[in-house]
Amino acid sequence: MKLRTPQLAALVIVVGLVAGLATVTLAVTNPAGTDAVPAVVTPQMSFAGLAAATGEPELVGMAQAQPSRGEIVQVAGPFDDRFSLEDLAFDGASVTGAVRVTSDVSEVIDLQVLAGFYDEQGNLLGTDRFVHHLGSTDPSHAHETAPDERMIFRIEVPAVLAGQAVGVALGVPVLVNE
Amino acid sequence: MRRPFSALAATTLVVALAATATLTGLVGTSLSASADDDKGRAKNVIYLLGDGMGRTHVTAARERFYGSDGKLAMETLEAQGHVSTYAVEKLSGQPGQADFRPNPVTDSASAATAWASGVKTYNAALGVDAKGVAVPTMMELAKKAGYRTGNVSTAEVTDATPAGQMSHALARGCQGPVYSDASCQDLALTGSALPTTDVRVTPIADQIARNGTADVILGGGLGRFDAADEAALTAQGYSVLGSIANQRTATKTDLAAATGQKVFGLFNRGNLTVEKSKRDNPSSAQAQEPSLPEMTSKAIELLSHKGEKGEKNEKGEKSDKGFYLQIEGALIDKRSHANDAAQTLDEIKAFDDAVTIAQDFAQRDGNTLVIVTADHECAGFNIIEKGTFTNAEASTPPANVDSGNTANNSAPTRPSNARDAARSTGIVNGSGAADAKNFGPATFRTPTDPAGVTDGSPEAGLWLSYLSSNHTGADVPVYASGPGSDQLEGTTDNTALFTIVGHALRVIR
Ligand SMILES: [Zn+2]
């Protein structure tokens, strides 16, 4: 075993002392026993040049959508070929409906439905969202039923917009199946 | 298991130190030292994974396609054994530690982390241990040691099995193209949200497009990637088949023409299409997707390509060092969740045909370790005797009315066992197909059934049933050939696959 850094050497010695009876070797080697310095094998913990997310996802179509009074329109998202929206209804206070996943019959791990609320002139007043996340170790999300292809959602009009929203746009920025 | 206290404490400390080493830029891996360092060493490793493929899946596919006296290709490999697959709860320690809390049923993410990184973790975790510490993967180790690397799946390449080798994520749902708190963070684990620059909450597609872990990436999931990902891939020298920016899927024609050291080809915006659907719809766009055997064959061709005279790999070494390739038959699991026996069987056949291709290469090469296994069983798949019925179809559950009999106190008796006509309305791929509430079995003809016997008939020889729509905790089979394959005889744990492959590739000692 080749030890090229004091840090690694110290670590191996400590492990050797505490391991005692156990046979433990701690090394990273290169193929064919070359003498190269052991590779640094820590996972890359971040990516230079990748813009970090700054919040929840938005859909560009929300700004352009202009639903008329009582109308519910769908704006484009990355997974529009994997679901259909069903039983949509808007009563001025909340928009309700169901997302039927058409791509797979297995657990829905993550789903987000984004709703934009619009005034009489079709101006976007604000948004809110329905978020589903399957917590695999959370008993309340245990696999009690067959995999659910149909997720029912309700998104309330934010309180500050009460009485002003007359139209709705919906889109799905997040969808993951098992 | 009982151990003296001091040994237990020592083990705990060793693992803690190993985790520290990982954080500080070193890797710690404990493995019994081998007297013969070259024993079990291979030039190449091909690791084939049938997602959700339990013991009965293999048997049923054998009976279906080759008959009771036949064998699947995987069953002809010389070493055979079983793999335990259990996961652990979130924040659990490793086996042997005081805070070890096992979960008998794994998901694909925890299982992938077990063989890719050698640690037990919680369901949904990828490339992190149960306390959320990022751990290096075998594909990262192989890549850094100068091997060429490939990752092939019939699922989205951001799905758990491929992602387990080339990402680190607290939650498998953080696949992309965008980040969201709910899909990427795990406050139960970390207390407060990690900064979004941290790899563990970075969408998996963004990671795959930037970390260069796999040279050849073939599968589905184009919808997870965006134009910035394409630019990042191109900048690293990948040939991107199709177009990510335009969301134009690659085709099997594109794949056949692909050359070069680094190839990225996604053939569907989501998971790839089941074989039966492509057969039934030959003019569909999906019929242009390559099959798993075709992707396997091409990946081996690309990774084993010796290169032009003098051509060097990225480390400046001659490019015949060997390769590490992972192949996943993902739709076995997805169709098992759906209790779709017909397509499950077809997907096992496609997976087994990929095994044939891997094994043919290994036999020509003479120095390749081939491992064929599964991550977990899915749906409690069972072969029942022709003409019988399951508890799900029965009018009375099997109550243990004989429990007071000390001589025979575990035998359930069922005074009135009968098929419930409402719960069992016929063979589900035959006369009972129209009834959504039907618990009846699916039946399939086998090669030795008389001519004229059809799938879905009561005369068919293979009767199949499902327990549930979810994973089970059963051990899974493993088949292996080549250098070091004898280590897979008997029963091993899925974390041992990490050390066996790591030793074969000399990336751990
Ligand atoms: Zn599954």
Side-chain angles (χ1 to χ4, degrees), chain A residues 11 18 25-26 28-29 31-32 41-43 45-46 53 56-57 78-79 81-82 104 110 131 133 143 147 175-176 178, chain B residues 10 22 27-29 136 141 145 156 168 173 179 181-183 196-197 199 224 269-271 333-334 337 469-471 506 509:
Chain A
L11 183 66
V18 297
T25 52
L26 184 68
V28 178
T29 64
V41 288
T42 187
M45 290 305 288
S46 64
E56 291 303 291
F79 307 111
D81 50 356
R82 304 188 193 189
D104 272 305
D110 283 286
V131 176
H133 172 68
H143 304 266
L175 176 60
V176 181
E178 209 255 58
Chain B
T22 301
V27 68
T29 298
L141 295 173
E156 301 186 82
H168 302 274
Y179 165 93
D181 285 343
S183 64
T196 54
T197 50
V199 69
R224 301 286 173 196
R269 298 194 65 256
N271 296 322
D333 181 69
K334 297 188 190 299
H337 279 288
S469 292
N470 295 312
H471 302 163
R506 309 166 189 86
R509 190 187 300 181

Side-chain angles (χ1 to χ4, degrees), chain A residues 52-138:
Chain A
T54 54
E56 291 303 291
E58 303 296 338
L59 293 168
V60 290
M62 281 291 164
Q64 284 88 52
Q66 290 190 314
S68 50
R69 172 172 279 277
E71 195 178 16
I72 304 172
V73 300
Q74 186 178 344
V75 301
F79 307 111
D80 293 348
D81 50 356
R82 304 188 193 189
F83 69 89
S84 58
L85 295 175
E86 298 179 344
D87 302 336
L88 299 179
F90 177 55
D91 63 3
S94 65
V95 57
T96 56
V99 176
R100 178 178 293 283
V101 177
T102 53
S103 55
D104 272 305
V105 185
S106 61
E107 214 83 49
V108 178
I109 296 176
D110 283 286
L111 171 68
Q112 193 175 114
V113 183
L114 179 62
F117 298 105
Y118 299 79
D119 67 13
E120 201 73 60
Q121 287 73 45
N123 298 310
L124 178 60
L125 300 171
T127 61
D128 208 342
R129 58 194 81 218
F130 166 86
V131 176
H132 162 82
H133 172 68
L134 182 74
S136 350
T137 56
D138 175 354

Side-chain angles (χ1 to χ4, degrees), chain B residues 398-414:
Chain B
N400 188 354
V401 298
D402 199 25
S403 60
N405 178 350
T406 54
N408 189 25
N409 64 8
S410 64
T413 63
R414 214 168 349 187

Side-chain angles (χ1 to χ4, degrees), chain B residues 154-452:
Chain B
T154 49
E156 301 186 82
V157 296
T158 52
D159 198 7
T161 300
Q165 291 281 14
M166 49 185 181
S167 70
H168 302 274
L170 298 182
R172 61 179 291 180
C174 186
Q175 294 192 22
V178 293
Y179 165 93
S180 76
D181 285 343
S183 64
C184 297
Q185 297 281 354
D186 189 333
L187 301 185
L189 192 70
T190 60
S192 56
L194 295 180
T196 54
T197 50
D198 191 303
V199 69
R200 293 167 293 173
V201 294
T202 298
I204 290 164
D206 288 338
Q207 298 187 42
I208 291 170
R210 286 162 184 80
N211 61 25
T213 299
D215 296 314
V216 174
I217 298 173
L218 304 175
L222 187 65
R224 301 286 173 196
F225 293 83
D226 59 23
D229 296 328
E230 180 160 10
L233 287 162
T234 306
Q236 295 166 80
Y238 283 91
S239 306
V240 177
L241 311 182
S243 165
I244 301 175
N246 297 323
Q247 287 290 295
R248 181 166 54 79
T249 50
T251 65
K252 58 186 174 189
T253 311
D254 296 333
L255 182 64
T259 57
Q261 298 261 327
K262 295 170 96 71
V263 175
F264 183 91
L266 304 184
F267 306 95
N268 192 302
R269 298 194 65 256
N271 296 322
L272 298 193
T273 304
V274 289
E275 289 301 321
K276 181 176 188 304
S277 174
K278 291 189 287 183
R279 263 201 323 274
D280 294 348
N281 304 285
S283 60
S284 66
Q286 288 75 19
Q288 293 309 306
E289 296 172 13
S291 66
L292 188 62
E294 287 165 341
M295 290 193 292
T296 301
S297 181
K298 186 66 182 193
I300 291 172
E301 176 198 318
L302 289 167
L303 294 173
S304 63
H305 178 63
K306 294 289 193 293
E308 301 306 311
K309 196 171 167 58
E311 189 177 328
K312 305 279 178 69
N313 72 8
E314 290 148 72
K315 294 188 73 172
E317 296 154 333
K318 63 184 196 307
S319 53
D320 61 349
K321 183 150 275 175
F323 65 83
Y324 175 46
L325 171 60
Q326 176 173 298
I327 306 282
E328 183 198 23
L331 305 179
I332 299 168
D333 181 69
K334 297 188 190 299
R335 297 324 297 166
S336 294
H337 279 288
N339 287 190
D340 178 347
Q343 299 202 19
T344 299
L345 291 170
D346 277 4
E347 293 305 315
I348 299 168
K349 177 67 164 62
F351 175 72
D352 193 58
D353 290 345
V355 173
T356 299
I357 285 162
Q359 188 61 7
D360 285 351
F361 170 82
Q363 278 172 357
R364 287 197 306 277
D365 174 72
N367 195 13
T368 297
L369 171 61
V370 175
I371 298 174
V372 183
T373 188
D375 48 0
H376 50 72
E377 201 274 345
C378 186
F381 202 30
N382 253 302
I383 301 168
I384 62 170
E385 189 176 358
K386 187 173 175 175
T388 64
F389 61 94
T390 62
N391 285 348
E393 302 169 78
S395 55
T396 319
N400 188 354
V401 298
D402 199 25
S403 60
N405 178 350
T406 54
N408 189 25
N409 64 8
S410 64
T413 63
R414 214 168 349 187
S416 61
N417 190 18
R419 196 190 315 256
D420 184 330
R423 294 164 69 85
S424 185
T425 51
I427 293 163
V428 294
N429 57 338
S431 60
D435 178 8
K437 292 194 165 80
N438 179 17
F439 284 97
T443 73
F444 297 89
R445 68 164 281 119
T446 66
T448 49
D449 282 340

